[in-house]
């Protein structure tokens, strides 16, 4: 049986649309150090990449016995947003890829572990918000964030597309697991500046997504469908 055509591309935001994960990991490591939690960026990436703030607080509490209070989160968020406004860039080729999908009558949306405020700031300062609004979904909209499938299933339902006709573009292990649990095809995007972490590469190999790519101009290849096994990785 031929695979169903892709009708909806679901983009993660951080590390897929905008090159934010490296900045976010640096801010997180610095903030946690003030609480006495000393981690390298690679260790932080292994624990927190692609996860929501609520998940972060649970991990820090259970693993290090440290409580993360609202004041701490607010301070970390302010520092992160300041750096986003000064430094954040879109991933190369994203705007063109979105316009090409629209020309093919393939819908697009964003489904991110971040709070909607952060998603909209990220997309605004990089000029992507008009291309994707209002189809923006945050983990705050569902009971369980990634790696649970809830957010992707919610996005698909809101967009009126079955999971089997969705293609998820993810950079994080948590996001890849969430898409797989949702019964969606998932492609790992490895073009972000954070994807060189050893823990990331190890997790990616273990999860075995449907494919991977590191240049956004190659996205349409996966939407149209690969004909040969060797086409599933362009890197």
């Amino acid at each position: 049986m031929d695979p169903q055509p892709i009708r909806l591309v679901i983009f993660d935001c951080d590390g897929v649309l905008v090159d934010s994960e490296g900045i976010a990991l640096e801010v997180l490591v610095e903030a946690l150090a003030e609480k006495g939690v000393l981690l390298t960026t690679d260790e932080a990436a292994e624990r927190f990449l692609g996860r929501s703030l609520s998940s972060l607080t649970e991990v820090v509490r259970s693993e290090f016995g440290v409580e993360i209070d609202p004041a701490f989160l607010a301070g970390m968020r302010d520092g992160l947003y300041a750096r986003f406004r000064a430094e954040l860039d879109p991933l190369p080729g994203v705007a063109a890829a979105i316009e090409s999908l629209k020309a093919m009558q393939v819908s697009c949306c964003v489904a991110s572990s971040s709070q909607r405020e952060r998603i909209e700031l990220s997309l605004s300062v990089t000029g992507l918000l008009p291309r994707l609004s209002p189809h923006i979904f945050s983990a705050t909209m569902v009971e369980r964030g990634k790696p649970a499938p809830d957010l992707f299933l919610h996005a698909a339902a809101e967009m009126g597309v079955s999971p089997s006709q969705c293609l998820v573009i993810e950079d994080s292990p948590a996001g890849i697991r969430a898409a797989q649990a949702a019964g969606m095809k998932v492609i790992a995007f490895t073009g972000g500046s954070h994807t060189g972490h050893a823990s990331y590469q190890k997790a990616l190999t273990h999860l075995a997504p449907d494919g991977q790519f590191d240049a956004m101009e190659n996205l349409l290849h996966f939407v149209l469908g690969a004909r040969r096994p060797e086409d599933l990785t362009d890197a």
Side-chain angles (χ1 to χ4, degrees):
M1 181 180 296
D2 292 333
Q4 294 191 55
I6 299 300
R7 292 181 51 218
L8 174 65
V9 173
I10 304 177
F11 290 99
D12 180 38
C13 183
D14 297 295
V16 172
L17 297 174
V18 299
D19 200 11
S20 57
E21 292 288 23
I23 299 172
L25 285 170
E26 289 176 6
V27 170
L28 175 60
V29 167
E30 292 171 3
L32 288 176
E34 295 177 4
K35 284 279 193 179
V37 178
L38 303 180
L39 296 172
T40 66
T41 53
D42 193 61
E43 290 168 337
E46 183 176 5
R47 289 169 172 82
F48 305 120
L49 196 63
R51 294 179 179 270
S52 64
L53 279 179
S54 61
S55 175
L56 181 151
T57 58
E58 291 170 6
V59 171
V60 172
R61 182 188 302 114
S62 63
E63 188 168 345
F64 302 102
V66 174
E67 291 292 333
I68 300 298
D69 55 37
F72 173 87
L73 291 177
M76 187 173 68
R77 188 178 299 119
D78 289 345
L80 180 65
Y81 288 1
R83 287 194 58 180
F84 278 4
R85 293 186 180 97
E87 304 173 35
L88 190 59
D89 293 314
L91 268 299
V94 165
I98 293 170
E99 293 308 312
S100 295
L101 291 172
K102 291 181 178 180
M104 295 166 56
Q105 298 185 321
V106 176
S107 298
C108 302
C109 70
V110 181
S112 169
S113 293
S114 297
Q115 294 180 321
R116 188 176 180 111
E117 176 188 36
R118 170 173 163 174
I119 302 168
E120 292 188 346
L121 172 65
S122 299
L123 298 179
S124 178
V125 299
T126 55
L128 297 173
L129 186 60
R131 290 182 165 89
L132 293 161
S133 182
H135 305 304
I136 296 171
F137 305 100
S138 164
T140 58
M141 299 175 177
V142 294
E143 182 176 350
R144 302 177 300 166
K146 305 172 188 177
D150 302 30
L151 179 57
F152 289 137
L153 292 173
H154 173 72
E158 289 294 310
M159 298 294 291
V161 178
S162 68
S164 62
Q165 292 182 303
C166 294
L167 174 64
V168 175
I169 311 302
E170 261 289 356
D171 67 308
S172 75
I176 293 169
R177 289 197 296 270
Q180 291 171 334
M184 299 177 180
K185 184 176 181 181
V186 57
I187 306 299
F189 178 70
T190 58
S193 59
H194 65 290
T195 57
H197 291 289
S199 60
Y200 176 86
Q201 295 295 335
K202 181 179 179 181
L204 198 64
T205 300
H206 175 72
L207 288 169
D210 295 289
Q212 70 181 71
F213 70 118
D214 61 6
M216 197 56 70
E217 56 263 30
N218 294 320
L219 171 60
L220 296 186
H221 163 76
F222 294 100
V223 176
L224 295 171
R227 293 183 176 87
R228 303 172 301 165
E230 59 265 38
D231 288 337
L232 288 175
T233 301
D234 66 38

